[in-house]
Amino acid sequence: MILFNNGTFHIYNNDISYIIKILRNNHLGQLYFGKAIKHRDNFDHLLVEKATVLAPCVFQGDLDFSLEILKQEYPCYGTGDYRDPAYQITSDNGSSITDLVYKSHVIRQGKSSIEGLPSTYGDNVETLEITLRDDLIGLEVTLKYHIFDNISSIIRSAEFSNIGDKVLKINRAMSSCLDLYDSNFEMLTLDGAWARERHITTRKIKSGIQAISSSRGASSAMHNPFIALKRPNTTEHVGDVYGFSLIYSGNFLAQVEVDAFDVTRVIIGINPFEFNWSLQPNKKFHAPEAVLVYSDKGLNGMSQNFHNLFKNNLMRGKYKGKSRPILINNWEATYFDFTEESILKIAKTAKQAGIELFVLDDGWFGKRDNDSTSLGDWSVYLKKLPNGIKGLAEKINALKLDFGLWFEPEMVNEISELYKTHPDYVISTPNRNRSYGRNQYVLDFSRTEVVNYIFNKMCETLDTANISYIKWDMNRNITEAYSYSLAETQQKEFFHRYILGVYSLYEKLTNKFPNILFESCASGGARFDPGMLYYAPQAWTSDDTDAIERLHIQYGTSMVYPIVSMGSHVAAVPNHQVNRVTSLKMRADVAYFGTFGYELDLNKVSPEELEQVKKQINFFKKYKEVIQLGDFYRLQNGNYYSWIVVSPDKKTAILGYYKILAAPNPSFKKINLVGLNENFKYTCNNKTYYGDELMNFGLVLETEFTGSLQSDSFKGKYTPGTDKGDFTSQIYVFEANI
Ligand code: DGJ
């Protein structure tokens, strides 16, 4: 619902309210964002103005009205507000002073998409567009707000229009700005590196600026384009939290600034560092969408709003709202060393175990025997695959398995046919060294002809072979950023144009091949962001397949992203990234909470283990709708991890419980479940419980080992590395018998 009375906009649904007021200077002021409050015709009493002696005043002698102090909706630079602004424009005389004032607004049902950018969509949504204008420089900015009726979230974006006759330089165009009334918050971010993505960092916010960002050309493994501000006492289940997520895969900034009056300004959008856009007369520039979630139900409440929005109103295509095929990927099984015969051998055993999709990873094209060659040459390597991709796909299909294929569309190796014919396609700066990353260069996707070239090359394979899945990889970041197709004055448009090029290729491919399931990947999870989910409804979460490290990664990732989007595989031990040995049971118990698949050669496991794999696959087939489409709640992290998924009808719940290190003589372990129906009677391991018991008293977990393995009663009873030692897990299934 969106209402306008007395110069005030109230955007609300049953859960949240967002209130904006047209201020005395015709700029927009921010009155409130939080739990829903009753509508009334006038909210002026919520406006807090504060007199300060030295603050610059908009009106002479009116010390109450200073932009330095007011909470604003889309603040500008240079007229009294010294905090970082939401936008900054330089006009033709070199000045960056602007004065955007309210001109008009529209309230309507539905929402439109943003040309060239990923964006949310749906029927149950209302839109407010407020147009602001600076007549002196011919600038119009339309602030867009969208509210879905069943999600505690406001979606924001901003569209810049040049309505004058001079070029305007956009130095900064944030998607959202929010001024909160105090600074008693902790900032939660998802940070890491290759193979340890999206670990949770929490810090108390302090006076001044604290921020995360990327300037790598991709959202990155180092920082995810997301921050949350939570009250210090907010837990997973209770308390206030604001979440901010950017639907964008390129350079971003998410910044929190606490000013002298303890007001907290949160801005999120394209990173202004190395960004500048020349907005020509009659042209528009659209900043990406930001999602602002408010929850008073703790971090899980915030996460579920993100999950529901991304599952229902961002992901598209055939797999939206559907569980995903159980796949096997040959990367960790073979790396580059495979033949058609060895691939078919892996596929055959995988089929016998119940797997649904075989994915051929890196190494199938050009003369790719290692990572120094052939990226860009997207035609089959006949030495390895004499029958081509078509022939292999037919043989895989004959086994009654679907077939999927790996690409890395944005890259080229110097040793390649593509590089020989088009060295100019590579991103590089004139007369400068070109840095290598994994022996490869990045193609200049800001150029349409480069994107079209790669599209056509990929289609040669996709048009002929029966391919139902693509893993789109991206294994290095951009250096020496520059495009030969851009004028000198436009070079700082490069990074944004690059990601628009990536999106355009995704759009072309998903339109032409609507039945293909895309999984995005960037050396694992270095571009796991909402922008990608619009095109690829799942992402390879991390190159780290170790069950223990995956607990940290998947727990952190679930802060924002639904588990149906998290690529998670069972791999061989000792684990290839950390050399750790965990049981096959624990590896599957962790991988179940994601898309689920295998990444090893099942011919190399023992017959007993193969039987166990079959059972795991059967278990997952039985429950994958519940796991992937149900409501996911995090319960605990630390030495003990647990999480639970509950089916929408609450009749089935699956709890994953994990222990990292065993402790001597440990205390009792009991865990309070959430999300169940308090009146349902649930059965688990032949015991029955009412929902209210499981949620209030809790589930008493199996006792851990306590004693001495050398004592007569325990000698020879427990095998190291099984249920009574380090690295153990349990899955509990609760079925309601009503
Ligand atoms: C990085 C990916 O994350 C891996 O899964 C694998 O596809 C390799 N690239 C292949 O080069």
Side-chain angles (χ1 to χ4, degrees):
M1 188 64 106
I2 302 175
L3 295 173
F4 179 66
N5 298 104
N6 292 314
T8 302
F9 301 93
H10 187 190
I11 310 169
Y12 66 99
N13 60 22
N14 288 335
D15 300 313
I16 51 163
S17 282
Y18 191 107
I19 305 176
I20 304 164
K21 179 177 166 52
I22 304 169
L23 299 172
R24 283 190 273 149
N25 62 345
N26 285 324
H27 288 201
L28 295 181
Q30 221 165 54
L31 292 194
Y32 177 72
F33 176 39
K35 199 174 169 81
I37 53 181
K38 277 183 209 58
H39 180 71
R40 45 157 112 189
D41 285 348
N42 195 318
F43 282 112
D44 285 358
H45 52 288
L46 299 185
L47 179 68
V48 183
E49 296 179 354
K50 173 174 151 70
T52 58
V53 191
L54 292 175
C57 305
V58 176
F59 307 108
Q60 190 180 10
D62 187 348
L63 295 183
D64 275 348
F65 198 86
S66 169
L67 295 179
E68 180 163 5
I69 292 148
L70 284 158
K71 285 142 201 91
Q72 297 164 75
E73 202 49 36
Y74 208 61
C76 62
Y77 156 76
T79 52
D81 188 347
Y82 296 101
R83 295 164 288 187
D84 271 8
Y87 74 98
Q88 193 192 28
I89 307 283
T90 304
S91 56
D92 68 315
N93 69 0
S95 159
S96 299
I97 303 303
T98 48
D99 185 25
L100 278 179
V101 294
Y102 170 82
K103 271 293 158 210
S104 60
H105 72 266
V106 188
I107 295 171
R108 57 185 166 80
Q109 277 299 319
K111 84 179 280 286
S112 33
S113 54
I114 308 176
E115 204 191 325
L117 278 172
S119 57
T120 53
Y121 65 91
D123 301 326
N124 49 344
V125 60
E126 236 183 290
T127 293
L128 163 66
E129 294 184 354
I130 309 178
T131 298
L132 311 168
R133 191 179 296 165
D134 183 333
D135 282 324
L136 188 67
I137 61 169
L139 168 69
E140 213 168 69
V141 175
T142 301
L143 299 183
K144 301 187 179 177
Y145 301 83
H146 313 281
I147 185 162
F148 287 87
D149 57 18
N150 52 353
I151 297 180
S152 300
S153 152
I154 301 285
I155 321 284
R156 284 189 62 175
S157 66
E159 184 180 46
F160 291 72
S161 310
N162 186 339
I163 54 167
D165 52 12
K166 308 262 172 37
V167 177
L168 297 172
K169 304 287 272 180
I170 306 177
N171 311 325
R172 165 189 287 256
M174 302 312 285
S175 298
S176 164
C177 175
L178 190 72
D179 286 347
L180 294 163
Y181 273 78
D182 69 278
S183 64
N184 185 25
F185 290 107
E186 286 175 353
M187 172 173 157
L188 187 151
T189 52
L190 302 174
D191 312 308
W194 174 76
R196 54 177 168 83
E197 299 89 342
R198 289 173 300 288
H199 283 222
I200 297 168
T201 310
T202 310
R203 69 197 104 176
K204 177 87 185 84
I205 60 167
K206 301 250 168 71
S207 179
I209 287 175
Q210 35 258 289
I212 52 157
S213 65
S214 169
S215 52
R216 295 167 171 268
S219 49
S220 90
M222 290 70 202
H223 304 289
N224 199 255
F226 156 81
I227 51 175
L229 290 185
K230 65 186 255 314
R231 296 297 183 189
N233 57 358
T234 295
T235 67
E236 286 285 13
H237 309 293
V238 292
D240 281 0
V241 54
Y242 293 92
F244 305 82
S245 165
L246 189 66
I247 305 181
Y248 191 59
S249 312
N251 292 347
F252 75 93
L253 170 70
Q255 177 175 300
V256 173
E257 180 172 3
V258 178
D259 74 8
F261 306 100
D262 276 338
V263 169
T264 300
R265 172 167 291 176
V266 188
I267 55 176
I268 190 164
I270 294 176
N271 193 347
F273 175 70
E274 278 299 297
F275 171 81
N276 198 293
W277 194 271
S278 295
L279 191 64
Q280 304 294 326
N282 299 317
K283 292 285 180 201
K284 291 178 187 295
F285 177 85
H286 212 304
E289 286 186 347
V291 181
L292 282 60
V293 165
Y294 164 77
S295 166
D296 62 347
K297 297 183 183 64
L299 293 166
N300 273 312
M302 173 196 73
S303 301
Q304 287 183 353
N305 278 293
F306 281 125
H307 295 180
N308 290 337
L309 182 75
F310 293 168
K311 283 198 281 194
N312 303 323
N313 307 103
L314 184 65
M315 290 179 184
R316 302 177 299 168
K318 184 176 156 185
Y319 286 91
K320 173 187 171 173
K322 299 254 167 57
S323 63
R324 308 294 158 77
I326 301 173
L327 67 80
I328 188 155
N329 177 304
N330 72 305
W331 179 242
E332 286 198 13
T334 65
Y335 294 99
F336 294 106
D337 186 13
F338 59 82
T339 59
E340 183 183 276
E341 199 189 342
S342 65
I343 288 298
L344 287 172
K345 209 168 150 217
I346 296 174
K348 254 181 221 146
T349 313
K351 174 65 195 174
Q352 283 159 15
I355 281 173
E356 297 161 327
L357 163 69
F358 179 88
V359 178
L360 180 62
D361 210 278
D362 195 354
W364 61 267
F365 51 90
K367 295 196 171 59
R368 184 97 164 154
D369 287 317
N370 54 51
D371 66 17
S372 69
T373 169
S374 302
L375 288 171
D377 297 346
W378 299 111
S379 39
V380 74
Y381 191 4
L382 286 170
K383 190 178 102 185
K384 289 187 192 176
L385 304 172
N387 297 304
I389 289 297
K390 183 172 186 290
L392 176 63
E394 279 165 2
K395 290 183 184 180
I396 298 273
N397 289 163
L399 296 170
K400 304 241 169 329
L401 278 173
D402 285 336
F403 179 68
L405 196 58
W406 180 97
F407 284 94
E408 192 173 1
E410 298 153 75
M411 302 292 161
V412 64
N413 286 115
E414 197 161 342
I415 310 170
S416 67
E417 294 305 314
L418 174 58
Y419 187 81
K420 260 189 229 156
T421 40
H422 284 296
D424 55 308
Y425 279 8
V426 167
I427 295 171
S428 66
T429 299
N431 307 317
R432 295 283 176 201
N433 178 49
R434 280 185 305 207
S435 304
Y436 286 94
R438 210 199 188 201
N439 302 311
Q440 63 199 51
Y441 296 131
V442 189
L443 293 170
D444 184 354
F445 265 36
S446 74
R447 290 166 65 178
T448 313
E449 70 272 30
V450 178
V451 171
N452 287 345
Y453 175 88
I454 294 295
F455 172 69
N456 291 331
K457 281 309 285 182
M458 290 175 76
C459 286
E460 284 172 18
T461 303
L462 301 176
D463 281 338
T464 48
N466 186 20
I467 290 170
S468 51
Y469 162 107
I470 287 179
K471 178 175 172 187
W472 175 322
D473 206 344
M474 195 271 297
N475 284 304
R476 65 157 290 182
N477 289 139
I478 294 171
T479 53
E480 292 88 29
Y482 186 91
S483 176
Y484 286 90
S485 68
L486 292 173
E488 173 199 324
T489 49
Q490 287 183 290
Q491 287 300 331
K492 289 194 191 312
E493 296 175 14
F494 169 75
F495 275 113
H496 184 60
R497 287 187 183 275
Y498 176 84
I499 207 70
L500 292 180
V502 172
Y503 290 150
S504 74
L505 182 55
Y506 259 118
E507 189 69 25
K508 282 155 89 78
L509 288 168
T510 49
N511 282 339
K512 183 161 183 207
F513 303 102
N515 291 324
I516 293 184
L517 169 62
F518 282 78
E519 177 157 343
S520 76
C521 172
S523 308
R527 203 163 60 182
F528 199 135
D529 58 56
M532 282 291 131
L533 289 187
Y534 184 68
Y535 305 97
Q538 59 191 59
W540 183 222
T541 313
S542 177
D543 269 354
D544 200 310
T545 48
D546 168 56
I548 302 302
E549 176 56 30
R550 275 298 184 123
L551 288 173
H552 311 311
I553 295 174
Q554 291 176 205
Y555 196 92
T557 305
S558 77
M559 277 289 158
V560 191
Y561 304 99
I563 59 170
V564 71
S565 66
M566 285 187 222
S568 52
H569 302 167
V570 174
V573 288
N575 173 265
H576 292 197
Q577 293 76 38
V578 296
N579 204 21
R580 185 181 282 129
V581 176
T582 53
S583 66
L584 180 57
K585 171 175 167 49
M586 182 166 200
R587 282 174 273 154
D589 286 354
V590 176
Y592 288 147
F593 293 86
T595 58
F596 193 59
Y598 289 78
E599 183 143 347
L600 76 175
D601 186 347
L602 289 175
N603 298 303
K604 294 189 176 149
V605 304
S606 67
E608 297 74 35
E609 282 189 323
L610 191 57
E611 280 313 301
Q612 200 180 339
V613 167
K614 286 181 189 163
K615 286 193 185 128
Q616 292 173 344
I617 291 172
N618 282 339
F619 169 83
F620 195 71
K621 282 183 177 164
K622 183 166 176 200
Y623 291 112
K624 75 175 173 173
E625 259 75 34
V626 174
I627 293 180
Q628 296 186 339
L629 309 177
D631 294 322
F632 178 83
Y633 301 82
R634 290 173 305 275
L635 298 177
Q636 65 184 138
N637 60 345
N639 191 46
Y640 296 88
Y641 269 82
S642 58
W643 47 49
I644 188 169
V645 277
V646 183
S647 63
D649 62 9
K650 296 185 185 291
K651 287 187 182 158
T652 309
I654 300 172
L655 168 73
Y657 179 77
Y658 311 89
K659 177 182 67 190
I660 298 181
L661 293 182
N665 205 5
S667 55
F668 290 110
K669 296 288 178 302
K670 185 162 80 67
I671 188 159
N672 288 61
L673 307 190
V674 295
L676 306 177
N677 182 314
E678 54 187 28
N679 299 315
F680 285 0
K681 199 175 193 179
Y682 293 92
T683 303
C684 173
N685 295 337
N686 300 320
K687 287 190 186 153
T688 60
Y689 312 83
Y690 280 107
D692 57 358
E693 293 167 350
L694 289 168
M695 293 193 289
N696 298 311
F697 173 75
L699 175 76
V700 177
L701 297 155
E702 281 171 34
T703 50
E704 295 175 49
F705 174 73
T706 171
S708 163
L709 284 174
Q710 296 311 315
S711 72
D712 286 346
S713 15
F714 294 123
K715 217 169 200 164
K717 208 164 162 200
Y718 300 121
T719 321
T722 60
D723 57 341
K724 301 290 177 183
D726 294 343
F727 315 142
T728 63
S729 59
Q730 293 299 330
I731 298 293
Y732 297 86
V733 178
F734 299 86
E735 307 264 20
N737 25 21
I738 47 159

